[in-house]
Amino acid sequence: MSDDLDEILYSELDCLPNADQVLESEIEVPQDDFIEDQSAADYKVQELTDELENAFTEIAKLREENKLLKEENNILEKNISALYRTATSEIKRVQSNSQRGRKSNRGKHSTHRRQNG
């Protein structure tokens, strides 16, 4: 009985078209449409590839610019710190000179008063 079943199955399979016949007969794509669609797809792929390359180039430029700006920022931070320290020292120096001047003026005024008095 198993042999009979196998024989029926194989005979049925022999009646079926092979894969190439199915593709040729059932999927009828006009070649012109396929070529146009493929050309459009190829064009779109190339367009997207170009955009991606441009984006990578832009990213590289921005990274370099960012690096340069960070370096410049570090230099400016050092310069402003040096200016601040210099200004602070100068203010202290001026205040110190001013206090010395007041002290010496007090001494002169008191000496001057004694001579006149």
Side-chain angles (χ1 to χ4, degrees):
M1 176 140 170
S2 171
D3 289 335
D4 291 337
L5 187 56
D6 286 343
E7 222 176 275
I8 293 171
L9 272 173
Y10 285 118
S11 67
E12 290 295 321
L13 286 175
D14 288 337
C15 295
L16 294 174
N18 66 26
D20 292 335
Q21 290 172 337
V22 170
L23 287 175
E24 288 174 9
S25 64
E26 303 225 358
I27 304 173
E28 294 181 17
V29 177
Q31 285 299 318
D32 291 341
D33 290 344
F34 176 76
I35 291 171
E36 286 176 21
D37 290 345
Q38 186 62 38
S39 294
D42 289 344
Y43 178 79
K44 189 64 175 175
V45 166
Q46 185 60 47
E47 188 177 67
L48 292 172
T49 301
D50 291 345
E51 286 181 29
L52 184 61
E53 287 175 6
N54 290 338
F56 282 134
T57 301
E58 184 68 19
I59 288 169
K61 286 179 185 176
L62 290 172
R63 283 184 176 159
E64 182 62 26
E65 184 178 344
N66 191 31
K67 178 184 170 190
L68 294 173
L69 288 172
K70 283 181 180 180
E71 289 171 2
E72 185 178 354
N73 190 42
N74 286 337
I75 291 168
L76 290 172
E77 283 179 2
K78 289 176 185 177
N79 287 346
I80 196 80
S81 293
L83 282 172
Y84 179 78
R85 287 190 305 272
T86 301
T88 303
S89 295
E90 187 64 17
I91 290 170
K92 288 178 183 177
R93 185 189 67 77
V94 168
Q95 288 174 342
S96 176
N97 286 343
S98 176
Q99 287 174 356
R100 276 190 230 133
R102 278 190 245 141
K103 286 180 183 177
S104 70
N105 281 341
R106 284 185 206 152
K108 287 180 185 177
H109 288 301
S110 60
T111 307
H112 182 59
R113 287 183 187 161
R114 286 186 201 153
Q115 290 175 356
N116 289 337

